[in-house]
Amino acid sequence: MAPSNPYDIDAWTNPYTPRPPFRHLPAPVARFFGYRSPSSSPQQPHTLVVWACSFLGAFLGVSLLEGVYLNLPALSGHTVPTIIASFGASAILSYNTIETPLAQPRNLVFGHFLSALIGTCITKLFHLLPYAEFNKLRWLAGSLSVGVASVVMGMTKTVHPPAGATALLCATTVEITELGWWFLPLVLLGCMLMLTSALIINNVARRYPVYWWTPADLDKAKADRKAGDVETASQAKKEEEEKTKKQEDEKLRSLSQTDSDSATRSETSGRTPGENLLLSRKHQIMIEGDRIVVPDWMHTDEWELSILETLRQRVRNGPPDTATTRQEP
């Protein structure tokens, strides 16, 4: 069965995407891949600890990239840049706002790489023009690269804002333009170095990543549902009608035994239980441990889906152990 949203790539791939294998690793090792035991209680570190980790992560992460780039040999005669500027913005996401979907590994790696690929391809096409004409049209190549990269990241659910600068650099920075296809392995190398440092530094006191590929429960993913087990009110209505059909039939037979009961029921309810359910959920979002129900008219994007899925996971896991949970002073 085709997904309810045919443009959601996760709706097609989640049923075939395996769970990350980190749960099989020893706990101290799995911790640095972002895995936490379901029985463990999440703890919010002190604000000063968060700031310290953000500083150390950004400083050490960017320093690592610069150190590696500076020691790379010339690539086909082209000098390797000291740093790719867009990684400065990625450092803020990867070490500061580490719980946002934009900072997860899928977005960091694929967002940068796809944008670099698109920017390089479009710049190569414009480079077929005479050099003087190409210089005049660098602005067009750059803006077109950012526009196409934005759409591709949206289609693949790999939106990473700093990657827009990666696409732009291909056309507007002479040093990057001259690298040509060599820019792609440099970007991929930078992504892997930043991801590695983020895994080590962030997992000392916090948790990163929140997920590797998708926030949805891959064990329960089905092709006829959106990512994250989100249902529409119509789908919930149909399920509710099927579950309560027998109970409602028995109730109707009981109420129809007397004329007074039948008249009372006609006055108080002129709709079927399914219609009542649909009307009550027109302006309602329902989050349960095994599903999420949204109104038919609401179209949820990646950001909203991740928030809903996070709340669903918290509802399913139950309340934390208050005896071990630290509170913010």
Side-chain angles (χ1 to χ4, degrees):
M1 182 183 295
S4 56
N5 182 4
Y7 302 106
D8 185 353
I9 187 173
D10 280 357
W12 294 94
T13 60
N14 280 353
Y16 311 101
T17 303
R19 288 180 60 190
F22 308 124
R23 63 187 184 280
H24 302 301
L25 299 175
V29 178
R31 175 182 179 84
F32 286 93
F33 288 97
Y35 177 77
R36 300 293 186 274
S37 172
S39 60
S40 63
S41 299
Q43 295 185 359
Q44 179 64 30
H46 194 279
T47 302
L48 295 179
V49 175
V50 174
W51 290 349
C53 290
S54 299
F55 166 75
L56 288 175
F59 173 72
L60 297 177
V62 174
S63 297
L64 176 63
L65 265 67
E66 292 174 332
V68 172
Y69 283 169
L70 286 173
N71 287 279
L72 287 176
L75 303 174
S76 298
H78 302 300
T79 303
V80 178
T82 303
I83 189 67
I84 298 173
S86 54
F87 281 117
S90 292
I92 304 302
L93 288 175
S94 300
Y95 303 105
N96 199 317
T97 57
I98 62 175
E99 296 181 351
T100 64
L102 304 177
Q104 304 311 305
R106 174 181 178 179
N107 299 66
L108 171 65
V109 177
F110 286 94
H112 272 300
F113 184 77
L114 291 175
S115 296
L117 177 62
I118 291 167
T120 301
C121 289
I122 291 177
T123 302
K124 286 287 186 182
L125 290 176
F126 274 81
H127 213 265
L128 296 175
L129 297 170
Y131 190 75
E133 291 297 322
F134 169 71
N135 275 333
K136 292 180 181 179
L137 294 176
R138 279 184 183 271
W139 66 271
L140 180 59
S143 57
L144 184 60
S145 298
V146 175
V148 175
S150 176
V151 173
V152 171
M153 285 190 289
M155 293 171 60
T156 57
K157 302 182 78 170
T158 57
V159 175
H160 188 66
T166 301
L168 185 63
L169 290 171
C170 296
T172 58
T173 303
V174 176
E175 186 181 20
I176 301 299
T177 303
E178 291 178 350
L179 281 172
W181 299 113
W182 284 109
F183 185 54
L184 300 182
L186 283 179
V187 167
L188 189 58
L189 175 62
C191 290
M192 301 312 297
L193 290 173
M194 181 159 288
L195 176 59
T196 301
S197 62
L199 291 174
I200 296 173
I201 297 171
N202 290 333
N203 282 302
V204 171
R206 297 183 289 174
R207 179 190 176 188
Y208 177 83
V210 178
Y211 58 87
W212 280 84
W213 186 256
T214 176
D217 187 345
L218 295 175
D219 289 337
K220 296 183 178 181
K222 298 185 182 297
D224 58 346
R225 287 187 177 183
K226 295 179 181 179
D229 293 330
V230 178
E231 301 175 83
T232 63
S234 295
Q235 292 171 328
K237 166 195 167 185
K238 184 177 180 180
E239 292 181 2
E240 195 72 17
E241 286 180 336
E242 292 175 352
K243 291 180 180 178
T244 60
K245 184 177 180 180
K246 291 184 179 180
Q247 291 84 344
E248 290 298 329
D249 288 342
E250 294 177 357
K251 182 178 179 181
L252 288 174
R253 285 195 297 269
S254 176
L255 292 174
S256 63
Q257 291 179 356
T258 59
D259 293 339
S260 60
D261 288 341
S262 298
T264 302
R265 184 177 184 279
S266 298
E267 293 175 359
T268 58
S269 177
R271 296 182 293 269
T272 65
E275 290 173 339
N276 287 329
L277 174 68
L278 185 60
L279 289 173
S280 66
R281 292 178 177 168
K282 185 177 180 181
H283 301 286
Q284 179 183 11
I285 296 177
M286 183 178 70
I287 302 177
E288 298 179 350
D290 59 347
R291 66 173 182 171
I292 301 170
V293 179
V294 299
D296 290 336
W297 53 266
M298 179 178 291
H299 301 286
T300 53
D301 57 22
E302 178 185 5
W303 179 277
E304 294 165 336
L305 278 175
S306 65
I307 294 175
L308 292 174
E309 176 61 23
T310 300
L311 293 175
R312 187 183 73 83
Q313 292 286 356
R314 294 181 62 182
V315 170
R316 187 173 66 176
N317 294 337
D321 186 358
T322 56
T324 60
T325 302
R326 291 165 46 188
Q327 296 183 355
E328 187 74 20

